[in-house]
Amino acid sequence: VVVIERAVRFEEVDAASIVFFGRFSEYAHEAMEHLFSRIEGGYPGLILKRRIGLPAVRLDVKFLAPLRYGDRVRIETTALRIGNRSATLRYRMFRAADGALSAEFDHTVVTTDLVSLESCDMPSDVRAVLEENLEREGAAP
Amino acid sequence: VVVIERAVRFEEVDAASIVFFGRFSEYAHEAMEHLFSRIEGGYPGLILKRRIGLPAVRLDVKFLAPLRYGDRVRIETTALRIGNRSATLRYRMFRAADGALSAEFDHTVVTTDLVSLESCDMPSDVRAVLEENLEREGAAP
Amino acid sequence: VVVIERAVRFEEVDAASIVFFGRFSEYAHEAMEHLFSRIEGGYPGLILKRRIGLPAVRLDVKFLAPLRYGDRVRIETTALRIGNRSATLRYRMFRAADGALSAEFDHTVVTTDLVSLESCDMPSDVRAVLEENLEREGAAP
Amino acid sequence: VVVIERAVRFEEVDAASIVFFGRFSEYAHEAMEHLFSRIEGGYPGLILKRRIGLPAVRLDVKFLAPLRYGDRVRIETTALRIGNRSATLRYRMFRAADGALSAEFDHTVVTTDLVSLESCDMPSDVRAVLEENLEREGAAP
């Protein structure tokens, strides 16, 4: 499991004064970029130099407790499933102050050639990072 | 079914040059605001005057075809399920030019008192709009 | 003068419950995209096919009255100045309900080759649209 | 001078593949929130508990060098001017890799009672933070 923590930003809340639900996708992506910071060149290198991306094909998100301005969010990232060309990442997002689970965000991505926008085999360094963070069945996260 | 169409905006794409997956939540919310424009005061009146909101508790999204800058997106909004205090909205998002289904976005919301952040009974005018747009089983959308 | 009007969106306000000041840049760009919708292929054609962009080099913005969720904003776009490779656009942004001037947003752009990121001569169709909307000195907007 | 450094995020670039100019306002606000993290309760406490905000009344921004995905940006925050109820903050934003000045962003704010949306006297702790970071004339930043 890889962990980041960051403050809720001033402009991330909506007219109901809680973090807009679309912002959780930005939090998820930030956690994923952090996860892949350990490959050579990081996620920017993958996207810009190797022209391989990980576009989302599926989201399955449960929102359990709202976040507000002034909160900090702790995001724990694991891999739920790793296939040949796809994987499911899970982000557990907690309110840092009280440890309440705010969202459980499952994000299925497909390794994709960004020139043709066709799926491609998962690069070995991407796979290695995912395998290192794979949730083992029955294991506590 | 209620339909809106809008252009992909210049800043909605990401470093892979396709619309960022988090932007689809903004498209979904825009379609929902449009759906509820037919209640008295619209969605702003519900939020700001009556202090009732519809925060998301669940998302289930399939991404099928990317959107790019220059595309227009047509969003068809229906209700999949209507409960006492919750409902699931479905947004089918199409690339307007070729009619390709870009995303199927299921959005479960709970009618919520924004002061206490507790769930509350669904207001009758909210329910009426949803029932008017309920998908009937076996029916083509 | 070219005019658009649009609703303030649910997620455009910040933790102070007014439209976040950075959002006015999105409003400005939306108005500029609309202005250039009258050239062949529109602004997307300019960016993606002709690979010419109009990046900002200067902003000069006065904020006069806040916008809130539920407001509509009317944006009047003119050209203040047209040079060989640059121009200054002015967006006057009004609260539609009471006509209050919310922001006066001056946006200086440089016509730029997006491959080299060097400035380039202003294309004639871009110039024609600007000249059509040039503010004449002493004239009321 | 107070300094933060952060990565350009995946979704912060636009269809021209450079950071969208509106994003610099988010960078500026992030730097301001960081600046005021040294007052009791931080900026969230000021906004949510004391109900005092610092809405922008003026921006004066020069863009000098583009930022791209993969860049890091270093932001140096100072106060240019401190009045009774207003102040001008300056954010110098640098590309961290080569030290190029990307933007010089002057941000004039007015201390404002968020209930009445009227200006109010600047709180002494806010003033103290600004004075600590005031640029002295003739001094190198």
Side-chain angles (χ1 to χ4, degrees):
Chain A
V1 59
V2 167
V3 182
I4 61 170
E5 190 180 306
R6 49 101 90 206
V8 166
R9 302 272 316 282
F10 185 67
E11 68 274 22
E12 291 175 346
V13 300
D14 58 28
S17 297
I18 56 176
V19 171
F20 182 64
F21 74 98
R23 294 286 185 175
F24 289 79
S25 292
E26 299 178 19
Y27 294 178
H29 205 277
E30 185 170 335
M32 188 177 79
E33 290 183 70
H34 180 75
L35 178 72
F36 289 116
S37 64
R38 55 208 67 197
I39 67 175
E40 171 83 26
Y43 200 71
L46 192 65
I47 294 289
L48 301 174
K49 297 225 172 69
R50 295 157 67 184
R51 303 295 291 142
I52 294 172
L54 298 172
V57 292
R58 182 81 190 254
L59 300 183
D60 188 342
V61 187
K62 293 183 194 75
F63 297 102
L64 300 151
L67 294 174
R68 288 185 186 74
Y69 182 52
D71 286 337
R72 294 182 64 81
V73 54
R74 189 179 76 248
I75 309 175
E76 300 180 358
T77 306
T78 57
L80 275 192
R81 192 191 56 76
I82 308 171
N84 287 326
R85 298 178 166 216
S86 74
T88 300
L89 291 153
R90 170 166 288 180
Y91 313 95
R92 286 185 181 85
M93 304 188 190
F94 299 91
R95 276 198 310 239
D98 65 0
L101 183 61
S102 175
E104 197 173 78
F105 192 115
D106 293 355
H107 176 214
T108 302
V109 297
V110 171
T111 46
T112 299
D113 179 317
L114 290 178
V115 178
S116 66
L117 282 180
E118 302 287 329
S119 71
C120 63
D121 286 339
M122 187 177 295
S124 59
D125 53 352
V126 169
R127 178 178 303 278
V129 167
L130 294 173
E131 278 175 353
E132 220 176 297
N133 292 285
L134 183 62
E135 291 203 15
R136 282 168 308 166
E137 237 168 295
Chain B
V1 58
V2 167
V3 182
I4 61 170
E5 190 180 306
R6 48 101 90 206
V8 167
R9 302 272 315 282
F10 184 68
E11 69 274 23
E12 290 175 347
V13 300
D14 58 28
S17 297
I18 57 175
V19 171
F20 182 63
F21 74 98
R23 294 287 184 174
F24 289 80
S25 292
E26 299 178 18
Y27 294 179
H29 205 277
E30 186 170 335
M32 187 177 80
E33 290 183 71
H34 181 74
L35 178 73
F36 288 117
S37 64
R38 56 208 66 198
I39 67 173
E40 171 83 25
Y43 199 71
L46 191 67
I47 294 288
L48 300 174
K49 297 224 172 71
R50 295 157 69 184
R51 304 295 291 143
I52 294 172
L54 298 172
V57 292
R58 182 82 189 254
L59 300 183
D60 188 343
V61 188
K62 293 181 195 76
F63 297 102
L64 301 151
L67 293 173
R68 288 183 185 76
Y69 182 52
D71 285 337
R72 294 181 65 81
V73 54
R74 188 178 78 247
I75 309 177
E76 300 181 358
T77 305
T78 58
L80 275 191
R81 192 191 56 77
I82 308 171
N84 287 326
R85 298 178 166 216
S86 74
T88 301
L89 291 152
R90 170 166 288 180
Y91 313 94
R92 286 184 182 86
M93 304 190 191
F94 299 90
R95 277 199 310 238
D98 64 0
L101 183 61
S102 174
E104 197 173 78
F105 192 115
D106 293 354
H107 176 214
T108 302
V109 296
V110 171
T111 47
T112 299
D113 179 318
L114 291 178
V115 179
S116 65
L117 282 181
E118 301 289 329
S119 72
C120 63
D121 286 339
M122 188 179 293
S124 59
D125 54 352
V126 169
R127 178 177 303 277
V129 166
L130 294 174
E131 279 176 351
E132 220 177 296
N133 293 285
L134 184 62
E135 291 203 14
R136 282 168 309 165
E137 236 167 296
Chain C
V1 60
V2 167
V3 182
I4 62 170
E5 189 180 307
R6 50 100 89 205
V8 167
R9 301 272 316 283
F10 185 69
E11 68 274 22
E12 290 175 348
V13 300
D14 59 28
S17 297
I18 57 175
V19 170
F20 182 64
F21 74 99
R23 293 287 184 175
F24 289 80
S25 292
E26 300 179 18
Y27 295 178
H29 205 277
E30 186 171 333
M32 188 177 79
E33 290 183 69
H34 181 74
L35 178 72
F36 289 115
S37 63
R38 56 207 66 199
I39 66 173
E40 171 84 25
Y43 200 70
L46 192 67
I47 295 289
L48 301 174
K49 296 223 171 73
R50 295 157 68 184
R51 304 295 289 144
I52 294 171
L54 298 171
V57 291
R58 182 80 189 257
L59 300 183
D60 188 341
V61 187
K62 294 182 193 74
F63 297 101
L64 301 152
L67 294 173
R68 290 185 184 75
Y69 183 52
D71 285 337
R72 294 181 66 80
V73 54
R74 187 179 78 249
I75 309 175
E76 300 180 358
T77 305
T78 58
L80 275 193
R81 192 191 57 78
I82 308 172
N84 287 326
R85 299 178 166 217
S86 74
T88 300
L89 291 152
R90 170 166 287 180
Y91 313 94
R92 287 185 181 86
M93 304 190 191
F94 298 91
R95 278 197 310 237
D98 64 0
L101 183 61
S102 175
E104 198 172 76
F105 192 116
D106 293 354
H107 177 214
T108 302
V109 297
V110 171
T111 46
T112 299
D113 178 318
L114 291 178
V115 178
S116 66
L117 284 179
E118 302 288 329
S119 72
C120 62
D121 286 339
M122 188 178 294
S124 60
D125 53 353
V126 168
R127 178 177 303 277
V129 167
L130 294 173
E131 280 176 352
E132 220 178 296
N133 293 285
L134 184 62
E135 291 203 14
R136 284 170 306 167
E137 235 167 297
Chain D
V1 60
V2 167
V3 182
I4 61 171
E5 189 180 306
R6 49 102 88 203
V8 167
R9 302 271 315 281
F10 185 68
E11 68 274 21
E12 290 174 347
V13 299
D14 59 29
S17 297
I18 57 175
V19 171
F20 181 64
F21 73 98
R23 294 287 184 175
F24 289 79
S25 293
E26 300 178 19
Y27 294 178
H29 204 278
E30 187 171 333
M32 187 177 80
E33 290 183 69
H34 181 74
L35 178 72
F36 289 116
S37 64
R38 55 207 67 198
I39 67 173
E40 171 85 23
Y43 199 71
L46 192 67
I47 295 288
L48 301 173
K49 297 225 171 70
R50 295 158 67 183
R51 304 295 291 143
I52 294 171
L54 298 171
V57 291
R58 183 81 189 254
L59 300 183
D60 188 342
V61 188
K62 293 183 194 75
F63 297 102
L64 301 152
L67 294 173
R68 291 184 183 74
Y69 183 53
D71 285 338
R72 295 182 65 80
V73 53
R74 188 180 77 248
I75 309 176
E76 301 181 357
T77 305
T78 57
L80 275 193
R81 192 191 56 77
I82 307 172
N84 287 326
R85 299 180 166 215
S86 74
T88 300
L89 292 152
R90 170 166 287 180
Y91 313 95
R92 287 185 181 85
M93 304 190 191
F94 299 91
R95 277 197 312 237
D98 64 0
L101 183 60
S102 175
E104 197 173 78
F105 192 115
D106 292 354
H107 177 214
T108 302
V109 297
V110 171
T111 46
T112 300
D113 178 317
L114 291 178
V115 178
S116 66
L117 284 180
E118 302 289 330
S119 71
C120 63
D121 286 339
M122 188 178 295
S124 59
D125 53 352
V126 168
R127 178 177 304 277
V129 167
L130 294 173
E131 280 176 352
E132 220 176 298
N133 293 285
L134 184 61
E135 291 202 14
R136 282 170 308 167
E137 236 167 298

